[in-house]
Amino acid sequence: MDGATPETVRAAIASGTALSGADGFAGGIDGRLVRDVLGRYPLFSAADDPATWSFDPTDLADPDPVPAGHARDASGDTELWTLPDPKPCADGERAVAAVRDAVVRSVDAVPGSPPIAFSGGLDSSILAARIGGPLYVGGFEGSHDVAAARSAADALGRTLRVVEFSHADIERGIPEVAAATGRTNPMDIQIALPLYLVAEAAAADGHDRLALGQGADELFGGYAKIAKAPGDHRVEADTVRGAARETVRTLPRQLERDVLALRAAGVEPVVPLLADRVVGAALRLPGEWLVDGDERKVALRRAADFLPAALRAREKKAVQYGSLLAREFDRLARQAGFKKRMDDHLGQYVESLRPE
């Protein structure tokens, strides 16, 4: 069992409690495969044989992911847990206090001092303020993320390790990430590759874990598509709160990709902002404590009162853009002859780099 003891998982199954405090798990137990409600740990079986399974899809000829919140056996998949849908807390200030307590307790509970993937934004700054491990930022020189991480590290009185990306990193990294994750679509590669390269550097420095602020944008309303609900075509929900919940449901597939990429680089991810207590507190937030006008992640910013004000107000770009990796990825594709006018030029470029 990955992430929790068998006894803990059995208790979660018996109670039907989706957020039991186990903070994610996956594996085989009592003749079934099980995966927690947010899919924080990847789990796969052979498509035609649930008895043949692995945490690593490359171990299987035809891997089929176990759906989050489900059990799988020879009879098929059975849903055990669903994402809780509590009523929003009527007292916003109390809801924010609950978020602060959950975040502080979860981050402070991280054992040791793992390195931190540090973009200089709100989420990674919360980790850096409370975890003493070294800070790593990756990007091309002149990128938003490198500049933001440098200024944030200075504000926190921390040193920063800059992992400077190169075109050679992209060219070798694309097939490595594709092989590890089983995904070749350009967007997945562009998101996972910066994490992979930073994790690779941390592993080379002797670390076997890497702390990340994953999940905060989904849980606390960090995306534009949440803020624009119901006017954004990317979500079906007709409220901000509903759009956030809809986005949380996308986490299992995202986490599967990112965990596999990080493990392939030689580290195990540590994601305290996805602890059960943080998820539970976020799900109880009213919409106005997710988004208020132009401000996103309202409750999380208020809860992070241990940060300098400038860092609490920080916005950040998606990693593929903030690191400039997406720009250089496209540049390399065009240099290799895959022009923008071509159908799926980036996808064709990815396929050209994969071994035959």
Side-chain angles (χ1 to χ4, degrees), residues 36-193:
D36 80 275
V37 73
L38 286 180
R40 284 162 284 194
Y41 292 84
L43 180 63
F44 306 84
S45 75
D48 58 354
D49 179 16
T52 302
W53 62 275
S54 178
F55 301 118
D56 184 346
T58 64
D59 291 339
L60 305 171
D62 188 13
D64 182 22
V66 175
H70 284 67
R72 170 175 292 173
D73 59 19
S75 64
D77 294 339
T78 303
E79 190 170 55
L80 299 180
W81 306 282
T82 58
L83 189 69
D85 190 15
K87 290 183 179 180
C89 181
D91 184 340
E93 294 294 341
R94 193 163 124 199
V96 171
V99 167
R100 187 187 190 284
D101 177 70
V103 166
V104 168
R105 289 173 62 195
S106 297
V107 177
D108 288 356
V110 172
S113 295
I116 299 164
F118 187 69
S119 68
L122 173 65
D123 313 334
S124 59
S125 292
I126 288 172
L127 303 189
R130 309 192 73 88
I131 297 174
L135 310 183
Y136 286 76
V137 64
F140 284 88
E141 186 56 44
S143 67
H144 170 275
D145 281 4
V146 171
R150 281 176 171 149
S151 66
D154 286 344
L156 293 170
R158 303 290 301 278
T159 58
L160 179 70
R161 162 94 147 81
V162 177
V163 182
E164 189 169 337
F165 298 165
S166 69
H167 285 172
D169 289 327
I170 294 178
E171 291 170 333
R172 72 171 177 81
I174 285 173
E176 291 168 0
V177 169
T181 63
R183 303 189 194 183
T184 58
N185 74 78
M187 183 57 72
D188 274 328
I189 298 291
Q190 288 178 7
I191 293 170
L193 185 51

Side-chain angles (χ1 to χ4, degrees), residues 145-303:
D145 281 4
V146 171
R150 281 176 171 149
S151 66
D154 286 344
L156 293 170
R158 303 290 301 278
T159 58
L160 179 70
R161 162 94 147 81
V162 177
V163 182
E164 189 169 337
F165 298 165
S166 69
H167 285 172
D169 289 327
I170 294 178
E171 291 170 333
R172 72 171 177 81
I174 285 173
E176 291 168 0
V177 169
T181 63
R183 303 189 194 183
T184 58
N185 74 78
M187 183 57 72
D188 274 328
I189 298 291
Q190 288 178 7
I191 293 170
L193 185 51
L195 299 177
Y196 177 82
L197 296 174
V198 168
E200 215 179 33
D205 289 343
H207 302 288
D208 59 5
R209 295 184 298 156
L210 183 66
L212 307 99
Q214 286 176 308
D217 283 319
E218 290 81 3
L219 290 168
F220 293 102
Y223 290 119
K225 63 185 178 183
I226 297 175
K228 294 177 181 177
D232 195 296
H233 69 278
R234 292 170 292 180
V235 295
E236 296 180 1
D238 57 6
T239 65
V240 165
R241 191 166 182 267
R245 181 179 174 80
E246 185 178 320
T247 307
V248 170
R249 290 200 192 99
T250 70
L251 278 169
R253 184 157 172 80
Q254 295 177 56
L255 292 170
E256 179 185 294
R257 173 198 63 214
D258 296 347
V259 171
L260 292 173
L262 291 161
R263 286 178 174 173
V267 302
E268 186 69 19
V270 177
V271 287
L273 299 184
L274 277 172
D276 281 356
R277 62 168 65 96
V278 177
V279 176
L283 292 176
R284 288 189 289 272
L285 288 171
E288 61 269 24
W289 285 98
L290 297 170
V291 177
D292 184 9
D294 293 331
E295 184 181 7
R296 305 177 201 165
K297 296 199 282 195
V298 177
L300 188 60
R301 295 184 196 282
R302 303 294 189 276

